[in-house]
Structures are given as C-alpha cells and as structure tokens.
Amino acid sequence: MVSVESVNPFYLGAFVIYLLIVLAIGAWGYTRTKTKDDFWVYGKNLGKWLATWSLVANFFSAVAAIGVIGEFAQTGWAIMVGVNFGLALGISALYFVSHKIRELDKVTLPDIVASVTGREYARPITGVILFGNAWVYLIIQLVGASVLVTAITGVPYRYMVWVIGIVFITYTVMGGLISVAWTDLLQGTVMIALMTLAAIYLVVDLGGLTAMNAQFAAIDPSYVTPLGDGTYTLLTVVSSIVAFFGTIFTSQNVIIRINATKDIETTKFHLAMGGVIIGSFFVVTSILGAATGVALNNAGLTVADPDRAFPVLIMQYLPTSIGTVVILGIMSAILSTTDTRLHAIGVTVSRDIYDYFKPGMSDEHQLKVSRTATVVFGLLATAVGASPPGSIFELYNFRAVLLTTGLLIPIYVALYWRGLDGRAIIASMVFGAVCGVGTELLGGELFGVPATLLGVGVAIAVLGSSVATSHLSAVPTD
C-alpha cells in the first residue's frame, strides 16, 4: 500500500498534469492517423522544425538525464571523451550519408539492407537486432522515469513503472509517429529550456564555473582529467567513440525520421540544426553532472547507485520550486525517448519481421500488427523494468555494443560498395553482433580487447575474407 504521508502532492500533481497533456496529444494524433504510412512515417510529410525537435527530444533520454549525469558525478569529465564525442560524430556522419538513404526511398533500416544486399531475408535478421536495441532502450527509459518519479512523489517504484508504461503505450498506439513527433516538440522544448535553467542555477549557487570545477577536482583530482582515474584507457576511449558513433546511424528511429521528412532539404536541415542543438546541450548535461557531484559532496550526501544521484540532488538539495523545473525537464527528456522506442518496436515487428513471413498484408492489417506489437512488447518491457537487470548506463552500453557490432560496418560498406556479395554483408552483421554481444556478456573484454572493437573487427574480417575470396576466384587459371 502507498503511505499518504510519503507522497509529495505538489510533485505528484505536476506529474499527473504532464501525463494528461501527452495523452491529449495522443488522442489528437489518433484523429490524424488514417493509414499505416501515417503511423509509421507521418505520411512522409514531416516538416523542418517538427523533425528537428523530434530528433533532439529523441536523442536525450534517461541515459543523458539520469544515467550520464550520475556517472559523471562519480567519474568526472572523462565520460565526455568517449560518449559525447562519439555521439556528436555520429550525427555529423549521418548528415553526409542521408542523401544515400533518401535515394533508396525506403521506410526502415531493414528495408535498406535488403535493397543494397539483394537478399530479402536480411530484413528479419536486421529487424531482430533493431528490435533488441529498441526494447532494451525502452526498458532504460521506463526505469529512469520510474526511479525519478518515485523519488520525487513518494509513490512506490513498482506502481509508478506500470503507470508510466501504460500511459505511453496508450498514446503511442493511438497516433504513431504523429503523436510521437508532436509530443517530442513539446517535450524537447521543455527539456532544453528547463534543464538549461537548472544548470545555470546550480553553477551560480556553487560560485561559478571555475569555483565549481575547483571543488570537483578537490573531491578527486581524476575527475577533471581527460582519462579519469585509469578506468579509461586510449583503447577503451576509442572503443566508446566507435560504439556511440555507431548507435546514431544504425538506430531504426533515426532512419524512420529521415524517411518521414517531406524532402531532402528538410532531411539535411533537421540533421544540421538538430546537431547544433544537441551539441550545445551536451555542454549543459556535462555541467549538470559536475554540479551534481559537487553539490552532493558539499551537502554530505553519499549515493551508491549512480542512477539515484540526480534524483537525490533534486529532493534533498534543490528548493521545491527549482526542483519542479528540473523534474519537468528530466521527464521531458526521458519520456520523449520512451514513445520513440515504442513506435520503433511497432514498426520493426510489423514491417521488418512479420511482413517477411506473411507478405501481402493489407495496409489495415499492417497497422493493426504495429499497434498490437507496441502494446505487447511495451507491456513486456514494463514488466522487465519493474526489476531491471542492470543500471541505466550498463544497459545503454549493452545496446550500443549490439547496434555497432551488428550493423555499423556492414551497412556503411553496403551503401557505398554495391558490388559486394550480399551474403557477405549479412554474415558480417551476424558474426559481428554475436562476437560483440557475447564478449560484452562475458565481462566486456576478451584478450584485452573491448567488446565493441572486437565485434567490429570480426565484422571487417568477414567482409575482407569475402573480398579476398572473390578476387581469387576471378583470377584466371591456366
């Protein structure tokens, strides 16, 4: 049972109002969703600013708002070197290959892989990898949102994770990408504005940037060094950059948005402008991480679980008025990504997996399958989120390894080297993913090589052996 004394009515009321607003947008989106293309890709009519803010809102999630800030508070600036730099590079690279994606005129990433390999069975193989990524990411968002709301409202976690899961399943199912894009516009704007104000407040409260950084260094000198306390080596930094670089181009939701924009000009604009906003906001989240570490230390607060660092700061350090502002900003970051992953799951299951085994479905049936998959796998993710298998940052790193080792090299090669045997590309995907994920599950390294680099290396080796074999077979014999 929930103890009335433990519930904060002020925070709980703000959260309830927030959920009602996004549900209203979902209901409006339902009235605009008539076909599967409306549900999947906004009728391929997504405009510049709506696409931009949808990209920005999708980009920042429980990982940035809670996971990275918590890790930053306990690790220091070193996390920027691998994670933030890798993600920024990924957006830049995507800008320069987006025209290749648009030229293919497809809906999803598995569609693209099937097209460039000439093998239809590439669709479910790619779809399974993307489904795994989206599902793990969805669990991350549900965990992050529930940890935060539980901390600030006093409602037990086991109840809150189901409330959040069901609300976001409901409005995503109703309006598809239409609901997702418009709620992203609201949530992205709120997130950027309010979390920036929170960062400014904390910096001023701690005496300015220079004073804050000096206090951060006083806690542990390694916090302000590029590679931290030795946990990060040059090899692990390179591995991290590659991993997070790979997650951008190979994310189903990003590809869907590119194909949902109304023309190539809109595509380029939303990637360029989104990249500027995201890069700037990286600075805000980094400052919030350092400020959280300093503020908690100054208040004598010790937090063992990094995922609870920022929620504890809100509840026990910030004034209620400022805390409310921060909470709305964080919730916007988390929940804008929750609906995106839910939507990606529905599209992936229907278009890329189910359609392969049962081709020729009517548009109505495909739309029904998309909505059903959103509900079923959303509820399963909520059930897992009720007892998560790891911290937010650990889960995030796992899905980064999965995406990068399975898809990064094969897909980039396939886009630019059309003469390569499609079977070699698919084999590269499978062996790279199995090796990378297997290594990650065994502890993250094998023979001293990080999982990401090992998986990518295997993917390259498989492609290389195919090229070598084809050259040898082409050599004339006497």
Side-chain angles (χ1 to χ4, degrees), residues 113-346:
V113 176
S115 175
V116 298
T117 61
R119 301 293 192 280
E120 274 297 302
Y121 62 82
R123 284 172 53 207
I125 292 173
T126 312
V128 167
I129 295 174
L130 292 171
F131 171 82
N133 162 70
W135 198 62
V136 171
Y137 215 124
L138 177 57
I139 294 169
I140 292 170
Q141 306 318 308
L142 292 170
V143 171
S146 302
V147 166
L148 176 65
V149 178
T150 293
I152 63 176
T153 65
V155 177
Y157 177 90
R158 64 183 180 276
Y159 299 133
M160 192 51 66
V161 70
W162 283 103
V163 169
I164 292 172
I166 290 171
V167 166
F168 276 77
I169 290 168
T170 300
Y171 90 73
T172 303
V173 163
M174 286 194 291
L177 190 58
I178 293 176
S179 295
V180 169
W182 281 98
T183 53
D184 283 350
L185 174 63
L186 167 68
Q187 293 171 146
T189 305
V190 170
M191 171 190 69
I192 294 290
L194 299 188
M195 290 189 72
T196 299
L197 288 174
I200 293 171
Y201 172 85
L202 280 170
V203 168
V204 172
D205 185 64
L206 295 171
L209 279 173
T210 303
M212 180 194 74
N213 206 47
Q215 294 173 73
F216 203 36
I219 299 171
D220 189 330
S222 68
Y223 286 0
V224 295
T225 59
L227 297 181
D229 61 359
T231 302
Y232 290 89
T233 64
L234 184 59
L235 192 61
T236 57
V237 167
V238 171
S239 177
S240 184
I241 289 173
V242 171
F244 293 107
F245 170 86
T247 62
I248 302 303
F249 178 70
T250 55
S251 290
Q252 177 83 309
N253 53 283
V254 175
I255 301 300
I256 288 173
R257 275 164 178 72
I258 287 175
N259 292 319
T261 51
K262 59 185 178 181
D263 51 43
I264 186 62
E265 180 185 353
T266 303
T267 299
K268 293 288 188 181
F269 177 90
H270 101 276
L271 289 172
M273 185 58 67
V276 170
I277 297 171
I278 289 166
S280 302
F281 198 58
F282 274 147
V283 178
V284 174
T285 56
S286 299
I287 290 172
L288 279 171
T292 297
V294 172
L296 290 176
N297 182 74
N298 291 349
L301 298 171
T302 303
V303 182
D305 181 359
D307 289 348
R308 294 191 59 82
F310 205 30
V312 169
L313 177 84
I314 295 169
M315 289 301 298
Q316 300 190 34
Y317 185 87
L318 296 177
T320 300
S321 57
I322 301 298
T324 304
V325 167
V326 177
I327 289 161
L328 291 175
I330 295 175
M331 290 304 298
S332 296
I334 295 173
L335 299 180
S336 61
T337 309
T338 305
D339 55 29
T340 295
R341 280 353 189 246
L342 275 167
H343 174 257
I345 286 172

Side-chain angles (χ1 to χ4, degrees), residues 10 31 34 48 100 134 214 275-276 284 289 311 365-366 392 408 441 468:
F10 189 84
T31 66
K34 306 299 183 184
K48 288 182 178 179
K100 288 281 186 181
V276 170
V284 174
H365 189 58
Q366 286 182 316
I392 289 172
L408 177 61
L441 291 174

Side-chain angles (χ1 to χ4, degrees), residues 101-124:
I101 298 169
R102 292 282 307 190
E103 286 170 3
L104 293 169
D105 193 28
K106 302 297 180 181
V107 174
T108 65
L109 186 57
D111 279 337
I112 293 172
V113 176
S115 175
V116 298
T117 61
R119 301 293 192 280
E120 274 297 302
Y121 62 82
R123 284 172 53 207

